[in-house]
Amino acid sequence: MLLLHRAVVLRLQQACRLKSIPSRIYIQACSTNDSFRPQYPSLTFSADNSSTRGWKVMGTLLGVGAVLAYQDHRCRAAQESTRIYTKEEVSSHTSPETGIWVTLGSEVFDVTEFVDLHPGGPSKLMLAAGGPLEPFWALYAVHNQSHVLELLAQYKIGELNPEDKVAPTVETSDPYADDPIRHPALKVNSQRPFNAEPPPELLTENYITPNPIFFTRNHLPVPNLDPDTYRLHIVGAPGGQSLSLSLDDLHNFPKYEITVTLQCAGNRRSEMTQVKEVKGLEWRTGAISTARWAGARLCDVLAQAGHQLCETEAHVCFEGLDSDPTGTAYGASIPLSRAMDPEAEVLLAYEMNGQPLPRDHGFPVRVVVPGVVGARHVKWLGRVSVQPEESYSHWQRRDYKGFSPSVDWDTVDFDSAPSIQELPVQSAITEPRDGETVESGEVTIKGYAWSGGGRAVIRVDVSLDGGLTWQVAKLDEEEQRPRKAWAWRLWQLQAPVPAGQKELNIVCKAVDDGYNVQPDTVAPIWNLRGVLSNAWHRVHVFVAP
């Protein structure tokens, strides 16, 4: 409403000069779009000299002034010829220099002047710059209110070209042509296969990551599976019975729900690239997300197929229904001891945050292995078997392993290193962003922390001077169960900015309940695949004068 201030004051001045005010005022705004036509109750004024009534009248006048200002703007807009813009024109307006444009429905808005006034902060609004508001408004219900639409209406500059509404055609021979539509907030690391992460300012906005912005790690095209014909094949134990389970069959097993954080082995790989080139996607801090998963316990399903713990080493191998043109499917495995342990809570999940799994996240069924690297959480699960050795999949035997910084691609021996299962302790700063300018006085720092294997995060230390001095951050959200701390801790710190400081070197490091702590620098943990990147996270910011 701050943007209406001048118009409100002018209208109040005009209203105060009136000798009389009708007992009832009816407002009807001019609009070319019914979605922006607010409905107002009639306002009744009565003569009362009490101070309380005086304040009520003043409040009423403020509301009337705002409405009249809005009415004038809409009427003027309706009287002017509507300009038509293409999506390409809108997409070129993404900075203060070019102007910051967004769309809602078929309408185009120039919100350049509003960015700094956005209640959620400029960075949130800038995520939609040059594109539609709908995907971002869908994440926050507060936008679905009439006063928000009224405020936006002030910035309308035209309409989208109707021809832009026609969806582009795709080549049917393209194996990725049937991939699902993704949320525009995601920062894309590769399109084919699709891999993307949420921006840091959205990542820790909620303890539970909304499905549309949950980080996506695909190795192959996304299969489009029919839930009615879907079958999960469980190879039976010797003397046992193999199972062919429909989705309904899985629903007949006892249902369990757990909150689990998934993290890609390559999270924060981009920091290793700064030390020396690595092979892999340039993940920043967003290859990690948290969801509430529901499904059948893997141990219950394996038990029905006749499997039980054995004295010899064994592994549960998973095969997905995603495959490359040669028919090779994605695969991975975990130790049988973990799969059969009810306390490990491994799920064959069919729900994510109370909804059926989205296609990008494994619909109709995926494995969820709490405390273990995301590469073992096989999506679009088609087959489960128990084998004396781990999966022969490329992604189990020839990827997702850690090596010494001295090992290069000429000397690497993948058979010499174990496959990554549990991940080390991790934390990162999500606000402020690197290179941002913060206000003097006090700075608010936010981030996440997590450790693999169910180890609870017990502390996050934050430094404003590159690690010379430290402060302890406040841990938010849910308490963690001993040895079952499957989900992250969000944290924040409000700290005074030292007087006269022009720059801050912010650092964070987490400690888990095994007193494991993050290493201070990247170079000693560098490896040729850029995995297990968990050094102190560093953000350099400037302080406004």
Side-chain angles (χ1 to χ4, degrees):
M1 294 302 292
L2 291 175
L3 295 173
L4 294 175
H5 179 68
R6 292 182 180 176
V8 171
V9 172
L10 290 173
R11 283 293 171 185
L12 282 175
Q13 290 172 345
Q14 294 170 2
C16 290
R17 287 197 293 269
L18 296 176
K19 297 299 182 182
S20 62
I21 300 176
S23 61
R24 291 183 180 271
I25 298 177
Y26 295 90
I27 303 296
Q28 182 170 355
C30 297
S31 176
T32 59
N33 185 336
D34 288 340
S35 66
F36 290 133
R37 183 170 295 154
Q39 302 297 319
Y40 298 99
S42 57
L43 308 174
T44 304
F45 304 144
S46 61
D48 192 318
N49 293 325
S50 69
S51 60
T52 300
R53 283 299 176 90
W55 282 112
K56 288 183 177 180
V57 170
M58 182 58 71
T60 301
L61 288 173
L62 282 167
V64 171
V67 171
L68 289 172
Y70 169 68
Q71 176 196 16
D72 279 359
H73 173 84
R74 299 300 293 160
C75 289
R76 286 197 302 272
Q79 291 167 2
E80 296 174 359
S81 59
T82 302
R83 289 203 58 180
I84 302 298
Y85 298 97
T86 65
K87 285 185 178 180
E88 184 177 0
E89 286 178 287
V90 173
S91 66
S92 67
H93 290 76
T94 57
S95 68
E97 291 73 28
T98 61
I100 299 163
W101 292 9
V102 295
T103 65
L104 186 67
S106 62
E107 298 186 304
V108 181
F109 306 87
D110 182 348
V111 295
T112 310
E113 296 179 358
F114 180 66
V115 170
D116 289 335
L117 298 174
H118 185 248
S123 63
K124 301 290 196 309
L125 183 52
M126 286 299 294
L127 292 171
L133 287 170
E134 286 92 339
F136 302 92
W137 281 22
L139 295 175
Y140 303 104
V142 68
H143 293 109
N144 300 318
Q145 300 183 45
S146 60
H147 73 274
V148 177
L149 298 176
E150 294 161 21
L151 184 59
L152 180 64
Q154 298 177 83
Y155 301 98
K156 181 178 176 181
I157 58 173
E159 301 271 342
L160 275 176
N161 189 330
E163 295 180 2
D164 274 350
K165 297 179 182 178
V166 179
T169 58
V170 295
E171 293 290 336
T172 56
S173 60
D174 180 2
Y176 294 94
D178 196 32
D179 268 18
I181 297 173
R182 280 84 181 207
H183 197 284
L186 292 171
K187 303 299 182 183
V188 179
N189 289 319
S190 74
Q191 284 285 359
R192 301 173 179 224
F194 186 81
N195 291 280
E197 60 190 294
E201 58 267 33
L202 290 184
L203 182 60
T204 52
E205 190 78 11
N206 299 284
Y207 179 68
I208 298 295
T209 311
N211 290 357
I213 60 169
F214 199 100
F215 91 94
T216 301
R217 176 66 174 110
N218 294 335
H219 297 82
L220 299 163
V222 176
N224 195 355
L225 303 175
D226 182 350
D228 294 330
T229 59
Y230 169 80
R231 295 295 182 271
L232 172 59
H233 299 285
I234 312 292
V235 178
Q241 182 178 1
S242 294
L243 307 176
S244 180
L245 302 175
S246 68
L247 201 51
D248 287 339
D249 292 332
L250 277 177
H251 280 266
N252 288 332
F253 284 87
K255 181 179 180 180
Y256 289 85
E257 294 188 38
I258 50 173
T259 302
V260 176
T261 293
L262 268 63
Q263 181 180 224
C264 179
N267 192 30
R268 298 179 57 195
R269 178 181 283 129
S270 59
E271 295 164 53
M272 284 195 173
T273 303
Q274 295 172 16
V275 174
K276 185 179 176 182
E277 183 181 358
V278 300
K279 288 187 178 181
L281 298 169
E282 285 289 289
W283 295 107
R284 294 171 287 276
T285 57
I288 184 171
S289 298
T290 299
R292 184 76 175 167
W293 308 93
R297 290 192 308 189
L298 177 60
C299 61
D300 293 339
V301 175
L302 288 176
Q304 185 163 318
H307 292 288
Q308 56 186 354
L309 282 175
C310 53
E311 295 181 358
T312 58
E313 181 182 5
H315 302 261
V316 179
C317 300
F318 308 112
E319 289 183 19
L321 294 171
D322 51 334
S323 61
D324 64 16
T326 69
T328 302
Y330 183 84
S333 61
I334 62 173
L336 177 64
S337 57
R338 182 184 293 273
M340 292 299 296
D341 184 1
E343 295 299 306
E345 299 184 300
V346 181
L347 291 186
L348 300 178
Y350 45 74
E351 286 184 6
M352 178 180 180
N353 294 331
Q355 301 174 351
L357 294 176
R359 283 185 60 205
D360 258 332
H361 300 291
F363 179 83
V365 177
R366 74 173 300 166
V367 185
V368 173
V369 191
V372 167
V373 64
R376 313 304 167 214
H377 299 235
V378 175
K379 300 188 282 187
W380 313 291
L381 188 62
R383 187 175 188 269
V384 179
S385 62
V386 176
Q387 304 293 339
E389 295 187 26
E390 66 178 0
S391 170
Y392 280 91
S393 164
H394 165 85
W395 294 280
Q396 186 81 22
R397 299 276 182 136
R398 292 293 180 267
D399 203 351
Y400 299 119
K401 295 184 176 185
F403 296 95
S404 166
S406 63
V407 174
D408 59 27
W409 288 100
D410 293 326
T411 60
V412 63
D413 177 9
F414 276 97
D415 291 329
S416 68
S419 301
I420 298 170
Q421 293 284 343
E422 297 179 1
L423 287 169
V425 63
Q426 175 72 281
S427 71
I429 298 161
T430 56
E431 293 184 47
R433 301 190 67 169
D434 191 58
E436 189 175 326
T437 298
V438 301
E439 296 297 322
S440 58
E442 187 176 70
V443 62
T444 298
I445 305 162
K446 297 181 180 181
Y448 64 77
W450 181 76
S451 191
R455 294 179 291 275
V457 170
I458 61 172
R459 194 178 78 240
V460 174
D461 300 322
V462 181
S463 174
L464 303 186
D465 53 17
L468 297 177
T469 60
W470 298 90
Q471 302 178 57
V472 178
K474 176 186 175 183
L475 299 177
D476 294 338
E477 301 302 339
E478 298 181 1
E479 293 295 327
Q480 297 185 313
R481 297 176 295 167
R483 299 175 299 282
K484 291 186 180 182
W486 308 132
W488 62 13
R489 301 296 299 271
L490 303 185
W491 57 265
Q492 64 176 313
L493 174 72
Q494 290 181 312
V497 176
Q501 280 302 110
K502 296 182 179 180
E503 302 178 7
L504 299 176
N505 291 307
I506 306 174
V507 180
C508 74
K509 60 182 176 72
V511 183
D512 69 21
D513 61 11
Y515 287 97
N516 301 297
V517 66
Q518 295 170 251
D520 59 346
T521 56
V522 176
I525 60 171
W526 182 94
N527 57 86
L528 76 174
R529 275 291 280 122
V531 294
L532 308 170
S533 180
N534 72 324
W536 296 358
H537 190 225
R538 302 169 185 269
V539 169
H540 179 256
V541 300
F542 302 94
V543 180

